[in-house]
Amino acid sequence: MIKRTLFICSLVLLASCSTYNSIDSFYNAHKEDDHVTAVRVPRFMLSLIGGISPEMKSLIGTTKDLRYMSFPSTTAAKTEFLNKQMNGITDNSFIEVYRKNDELKRNVVSIREKRNAVKEILIYNNNNQNASFLYFNGDFDPVKVRQMAQNEEFQKLGNGLINQYQEGNLPQGINQQEEKK
């Protein structure tokens, strides 16, 4: 009985001590770093972001969680560190749909599937100056995800999303709600 209790406690301890093995832990660990932009889009805004393009509307329509993070990656050590962090996350039951390596530069699209649907999408880009990831959680069509990855539409969404926040150009409806308050 004591051995069983010790075994269960050690499993719980081992699971709680794992580092950066999930989007949540990575996001929470780095969101307050210097020169980091972190955006976690609330559910009510997801429909508004769907107005960027018809493709985005069809993708955003099923999204439950959307996060974007951008951080500096100006040294080889920092770039390698971030690449290893993302590899650690995607090694856990993610399937790579697209990968382009150019020395330390990375462009990776990974998905997590359940039956015939894609449940999670993780897009990671690092150009030795800046690194970013874009994360979706929902129900997605695998064929559409592959097409969007090949056409670099996820990068366009990430750039459009961050531009909306940085310039204060929130999608229509948000500014109108603020004015009513």
Side-chain angles (χ1 to χ4, degrees), residues 14 44 49 58 69 73 86 97 121 127 131 166 173 175:
L14 203 83
F44 77 91
I49 292 173
S58 66
M69 185 175 270
S73 181
M86 281 296 142
V97 176
I121 304 168
N127 64 10
Q166 285 179 339
N175 290 335

Side-chain angles (χ1 to χ4, degrees), residues 3-166:
K3 287 182 181 181
R4 178 181 277 176
T5 304
L6 286 173
F7 178 73
I8 291 172
C9 289
S10 65
L11 283 178
V12 170
L13 180 64
L14 203 83
S16 67
C17 290
S18 63
T19 58
Y20 305 126
N21 287 335
S22 73
I23 291 297
D24 283 331
S25 61
F26 182 85
Y27 185 87
N28 289 331
H30 293 288
K31 69 182 178 184
E32 295 187 30
D33 290 354
D34 284 341
H35 306 290
V36 167
T37 301
V39 178
R40 187 168 187 181
V41 180
R43 282 189 164 187
F44 77 91
M45 283 186 59
L46 290 172
S47 62
L48 299 173
I49 292 173
I52 292 174
S53 72
E55 293 83 11
M56 289 302 115
K57 184 174 184 172
S58 66
L59 180 68
I60 296 293
T62 62
T63 302
K64 298 173 191 165
D65 188 8
L66 175 60
R67 300 181 202 194
Y68 177 82
M69 185 175 270
S70 166
F71 24 79
S73 181
T74 54
T75 66
K78 180 74 170 182
T79 301
E80 191 172 324
F81 171 76
L82 292 170
N83 289 346
K84 285 181 181 179
Q85 294 282 299
M86 281 296 142
N87 286 339
I89 292 171
T90 59
D91 285 346
N92 294 329
S93 72
F94 274 86
I95 299 167
E96 283 188 9
V97 176
Y98 176 82
R99 175 181 277 269
K100 182 178 179 184
N101 294 339
D102 184 11
E103 295 180 16
L104 287 178
K105 296 179 182 178
R106 297 286 185 272
N107 186 347
V108 181
V109 177
S110 298
I111 62 170
R112 189 175 284 168
E113 296 178 310
K114 187 174 183 182
R115 295 189 187 100
N116 292 334
V118 173
K119 295 295 186 179
E120 294 177 77
I121 304 168
L122 178 63
I123 299 96
Y124 173 67
N125 292 299
N126 193 328
N127 64 10
N128 286 341
Q129 295 298 315
N130 295 302
S132 66
F133 79 81
L134 182 61
Y135 171 78
F136 295 88
N137 185 333
D139 286 317
F140 310 103
D141 178 14
V143 174
K144 186 161 207 68
V145 170
R146 185 176 300 270
Q147 288 173 343
M148 291 179 75
Q150 291 173 342
N151 296 334
E152 297 183 356
E153 291 181 44
F154 289 114
Q155 284 180 299
K156 294 173 190 171
L157 174 64
N159 293 338
L161 180 63
I162 199 62
N163 288 339
Q164 293 284 338
Y165 275 92
Q166 285 179 339

